[in-house]
Amino acid sequence: MKKRLFRNFYTRPTLEVAKDLLGKYIIRKVGNRKLVGKIIETEAYIGPKDKASHAFGGKITPRNKAEYLKGGHIYIYLVYGMYWQMNISTYKSGKPECVLIRAIEPVLNDYKIKNQISKMNKFLASESKNTNQKLKLTNGPGKLCRWLKLNKSFYGEDLTKSKRIWLEDRGEKISPSQILATARIGIDYAGPYWSKRKWRFLIKDFKKYLAK
DNA sequence: GTACAGATTGAG
DNA sequence: TCAATCTGTACT
């Protein structure tokens, strides 16, 4: 079962979407091949009240305006002058809420990639090390954008319509007991009230490969 | 025209 | 733990 996610998925309350994105698949078409990754870590940003949000206080700039689009659009921006970060707008038009995709698990469905990885893993003995090696490609927001070949050209892209990137439900159900909620990463500047809110969500099984 | 952020990464 | 790295952004 492979079903593209449509508008009604994204326009729900942001915290729901952030949790439900776990276990969904990002499909990225590059030429005639597909890069596929399972979402395993997300973070919710709920402006304008959220001090950690780029839209805190209702601020609108050319950089953050995509946050205000109705659910299902890409908000992508550069950090540290070199890393892109992919967010998905959520909720209604005019509401600056989004979900940052922090980590995915590569799905090695492409022959060439399988080949690369099997070479890479040739000298690694255990299954757990193989998994670790694979995840090293995409276990951070900057890394996954690099792997999926995402950049500014995806700014504002509509995930419900795009022919080069979309999300799929492949029938995988992540139960609440498999979801871990923690404080968001790297936003101490927002002060304790906001930085302590447990708006980061991850699949427990992958915890050991993700940021602490 | 320019100071500076920055929701990171990777090396040590 | 901490420094590298750099350009887009948001101001003057």
Side-chain angles (χ1 to χ4, degrees):
Chain A
M1 177 248 204
K2 295 180 182 178
K3 190 168 144 270
R4 183 162 172 153
L5 297 177
F6 284 108
R7 194 71 67 206
N8 59 352
F9 178 89
Y10 301 106
T11 51
R12 295 173 300 143
T14 302
L15 291 176
E16 280 179 37
V17 178
K19 277 182 268 194
D20 285 352
L21 279 169
L22 296 175
K24 298 298 188 291
Y25 288 77
I26 300 182
I27 318 297
R28 164 83 171 102
K29 234 181 145 188
V30 183
N32 54 6
R33 41 187 267 219
K34 279 180 186 171
L35 296 166
V36 180
K38 177 167 116 176
I39 297 173
I40 58 175
E41 183 187 1
T42 63
E43 273 179 7
Y45 286 86
I46 307 182
K49 61 178 182 179
D50 179 1
K51 208 171 177 189
S53 165
H54 291 159
F56 175 65
K59 187 170 74 165
I60 303 178
T61 66
R63 177 216 205 190
N64 77 1
K65 64 176 193 244
E67 278 196 275
Y68 290 82
L69 297 172
K70 64 183 167 188
H73 292 84
I74 291 180
Y75 168 41
I76 193 166
Y77 64 93
L78 194 66
V79 283
Y80 299 109
M82 55 188 125
Y83 302 112
W84 293 96
Q85 311 228 148
M86 176 189 175
N87 298 250
I88 300 172
S89 70
T90 51
Y91 206 43
K92 301 172 188 169
S93 173
K95 303 289 183 185
E97 310 192 11
C98 65
V99 176
L100 169 66
I101 309 300
R102 282 195 55 90
I104 61 177
E105 180 192 34
V107 176
L108 309 173
N109 64 337
D110 181 282
Y111 175 75
K112 282 180 187 168
I113 298 175
K114 265 186 191 164
N115 223 272
Q116 279 176 12
I117 299 285
S118 77
K119 272 182 191 162
M120 196 195 297
N121 285 338
K122 210 166 180 176
F123 304 102
L124 297 172
S126 74
E127 177 61 32
S128 66
K129 277 189 177 170
N130 285 347
T131 307
N132 193 327
Q133 197 67 16
K134 180 171 67 174
L135 276 167
K136 275 184 182 169
L137 296 168
T138 53
N139 64 347
K143 288 167 151 187
L144 73 89
C145 284
R146 188 172 59 193
W147 191 73
L148 290 172
K149 304 187 194 307
L150 299 178
N151 53 45
K152 182 91 188 237
S153 77
F154 286 82
Y155 190 90
E157 189 101 348
D158 188 342
L159 289 167
T160 69
K161 297 198 175 111
S162 176
K163 291 186 167 59
R164 51 182 188 157
I165 187 166
W166 64 89
L167 266 59
E168 278 178 8
D169 183 341
R170 295 192 162 183
E172 214 164 311
K173 196 74 189 161
I174 308 296
S175 74
S177 65
Q178 296 175 75
I179 299 177
L180 200 63
T182 80
R184 292 172 292 176
I185 303 290
I187 53 151
D188 287 347
Y189 63 83
Y193 179 78
W194 294 105
S195 63
K196 281 182 180 164
R197 313 220 66 166
K198 296 189 171 176
W199 286 358
R200 174 186 181 225
F201 304 99
L202 55 96
I203 300 177
K204 273 184 186 168
D205 292 347
F206 294 97
K207 187 183 178 208
K208 59 184 165 183
Y209 306 119
L210 304 177
K212 290 186 192 74

